[in-house]
Amino acid sequence: MVDAVIYSAAEVSLISDRVYKAMKQPPPKQRDVKLLITGGDASMQGFVVGPVK
């Protein structure tokens, strides 16, 4: 079970890789992405999944 806040107007939703790996049937990975953090040179790796049911 995961507590989550759903914002239906968001263009993207983020979850941790631990939550993704714990899903019984995770949605398929579509592509890898590099997430840029505003206000600096920091970034983190991620991936796009879908479709999500």
Side-chain angles (χ1 to χ4, degrees):
M1 177 149 317
V2 175
D3 290 326
V5 175
I6 307 299
Y7 177 48
S8 61
E11 290 188 35
V12 297
S13 295
L14 304 175
I15 61 171
S16 72
D17 57 342
R18 284 183 284 172
V19 170
Y20 179 80
K21 290 175 185 174
M23 297 173 93
K24 289 183 180 179
Q25 293 182 332
K29 292 182 183 180
Q30 301 294 325
R31 65 183 178 279
D32 291 321
V33 294
K34 182 177 183 179
L35 304 168
L36 304 175
I37 300 170
T38 60
D41 294 331
S43 66
M44 59 190 231
Q45 293 301 118
F47 51 88
V48 176
V49 301
V52 178
K53 294 182 182 181

